[in-house]
Amino acid sequence: MKELKIGFIGYGNMAQAIATGLIASKAAAGSRMCACAGNFDKLCRNAEKRGIVPLRTAEEVIENSDFVILAVKPYMVEAVVEPIKGRLKDKTVISVAAGYDFERYEEILEPGTHHISTIPNTPVSVCEGIFVCENRHSLSGEELDAFVSLFQKISLIEFVDSVHLSSAGTLSGCTPALTAMYMEALGDAGVKYGISRETAYRMAAQMIVGTGKLYLEKGTHPGAMKDMVCSPGGTTIRGVSALEKRGFRGTVIDAIDAIEENR
């Protein structure tokens, strides 16, 4: 596993998050990774922080990689792939570009190219991320095993049907921003009642981590988890009631709708 060579075509926030997590988890050393990007000077600064080899061209990345991660912006994918698709045919291609599913890659890659479409989220950088993966792919059994073994070190891996790739990606990939807003709001509430902002943020963050872990380990329905904290006539149910009056759950669903409607 540690002998796999990983290359990034595009080295923006998501690629850097993946690389950081792989190094932190010891799933891959920085020296086993390389990257290229449009701004070579910026690439050098960002790559060398993690001991990753900066390269000038996508062709060099492909030549020095087993797994090639396409991490450019979605609007750039086709222009980037066109001149290198012949070289990609002998590699395992992993896409992290939203909007590019199996069928779309079948149209722009050479026939027979082994590829899988995924949507990771930024918490992969601290080995607590999610990799949403399309069930339909062209990886061999050995390649898929290697893919899962590598990325499960930094994420929960969830395979979904092609029709659900976008919505599942939204649910995991966009919601860290929404959750950060919730954490910030809780911090503001703590400050309002005299708690230092740093303490309030730490407490809110740990509450989010702990609640998520409690669900993952116990599998208790979220409604039941809420009920366990809400005593009859108690304080917590008053807060729940206030959120419900303001359409808390409906507003969250509306936010997901707004993202999906603009895909």
Side-chain angles (χ1 to χ4, degrees), residues 2 7 10 44 47 56 59 67 69 75-76 78 125 127-128 148 160-162 169 177 181 183 195-197 224 258:
K2 291 182 180 178
C44 289
R56 289 191 178 273
E59 288 83 357
F67 280 7
I69 300 177
Y75 74 89
M76 299 171 61
E78 293 187 35
S125 66
C127 309
E128 293 291 350
V148 171
V160 299
D161 293 335
S162 300
M181 291 172 67
M183 186 169 73
I195 301 171
S196 74
R197 186 166 295 279

Side-chain angles (χ1 to χ4, degrees), residues 93-95 100-107 109 113-119 132-140 144 147 158-165:
V93 179
I94 301 164
S95 170
Y100 276 80
D101 60 7
F102 181 85
E103 284 291 351
R104 199 161 180 187
Y105 274 112
E106 284 290 282
E107 295 173 0
L109 291 170
T113 304
H114 292 194
H115 61 96
I116 184 169
S117 293
T118 75
I119 305 177
V132 174
C133 306
E134 188 177 9
N135 266 330
R136 192 178 180 196
H137 58 80
S138 52
L139 271 57
S140 68
L144 183 61
F147 169 87
E158 287 287 346
F159 284 88
V160 299
D161 293 335
S162 300
V163 69
H164 296 127
L165 183 63

Side-chain angles (χ1 to χ4, degrees), residues 1 15 22 24 26 32 59 61 83 85 108 145 159 189 204 206 220 222 241 251 262:
M1 171 56 63
L22 291 175
K26 296 183 170 51
R32 304 294 295 179
E59 288 83 357
V61 169
K85 61 184 180 181
I108 64 174
D145 288 345
F159 284 88
Q206 181 58 43
T220 306
S241 178
T251 301
N262 285 280

Side-chain angles (χ1 to χ4, degrees), residues 4 6 20-21 46-47 62 66 74 94 110-111 114-115 122 128 130 132 147 156 176 185 211 218 249-250 255 258-259:
L4 270 176
I6 302 160
T20 299
N46 289 330
I62 295 167
D66 301 307
I94 301 164
E110 291 283 345
H114 292 194
H115 61 96
T122 51
E128 293 291 350
I130 301 170
V132 174
F147 169 87
L156 170 70
T211 304
K218 303 293 186 182
R249 286 185 286 188
I259 296 167

Side-chain angles (χ1 to χ4, degrees), residues 29-239:
S31 60
R32 304 294 295 179
M33 291 185 262
C34 61
C36 68
N39 186 325
F40 187 69
D41 290 337
K42 183 178 179 181
L43 168 67
C44 289
R45 292 193 299 271
N46 289 330
E48 289 170 359
K49 292 175 187 175
R50 302 169 179 85
I52 292 167
V53 180
L55 298 173
R56 289 191 178 273
T57 68
E59 288 83 357
E60 290 178 285
V61 169
I62 295 167
E63 183 180 344
N64 289 279
S65 305
D66 301 307
F67 280 7
V68 178
I69 300 177
L70 293 177
V72 296
K73 298 292 186 185
Y75 74 89
M76 299 171 61
V77 169
E78 293 187 35
V80 168
V81 165
E82 178 59 30
I84 60 173
K85 61 184 180 181
R87 295 173 183 264
L88 288 172
K89 187 171 181 179
D90 297 323
K91 302 294 180 177
T92 303
V93 179
I94 301 164
S95 170
V96 298
Y100 276 80
D101 60 7
F102 181 85
E103 284 291 351
R104 199 161 180 187
Y105 274 112
E106 284 290 282
E107 295 173 0
I108 64 174
L109 291 170
E110 291 283 345
T113 304
H114 292 194
H115 61 96
I116 184 169
S117 293
T118 75
I119 305 177
N121 66 1
T122 51
V124 294
S125 66
V126 291
C127 309
E128 293 291 350
I130 301 170
F131 253 82
V132 174
C133 306
E134 188 177 9
N135 266 330
R136 192 178 180 196
H137 58 80
S138 52
L139 271 57
S140 68
E142 184 179 0
E143 288 169 331
L144 183 61
D145 288 345
F147 169 87
V148 171
S149 295
L150 180 67
F151 292 109
Q152 71 181 1
K153 303 286 180 57
I154 63 172
S155 65
L156 170 70
I157 295 179
E158 287 287 346
F159 284 88
V160 299
D161 293 335
S162 300
V163 69
H164 296 127
L165 183 63
S166 174
S167 55
T170 293
L171 193 61
S172 62
C174 298
T175 51
L178 310 185
T179 305
M181 291 172 67
Y182 176 50
M183 186 169 73
E184 185 181 26
L186 291 174
D188 286 345
V191 170
K192 178 180 179 180
Y193 286 96
I195 301 171
S196 74
R197 186 166 295 279
E198 294 77 11
T199 298
Y201 281 161
R202 282 196 301 270
M203 292 170 62
Q206 181 58 43
M207 177 278 298
I208 292 168
V209 170
T211 304
K213 187 172 183 179
L214 184 62
Y215 173 79
L216 288 173
E217 291 194 359
K218 303 293 186 182
T220 306
H221 189 284
M225 292 172 65
K226 175 208 66 177
D227 290 349
M228 286 188 289
V229 188
C230 294
S231 302
T235 54
T236 304
I237 194 62
R238 297 175 189 272

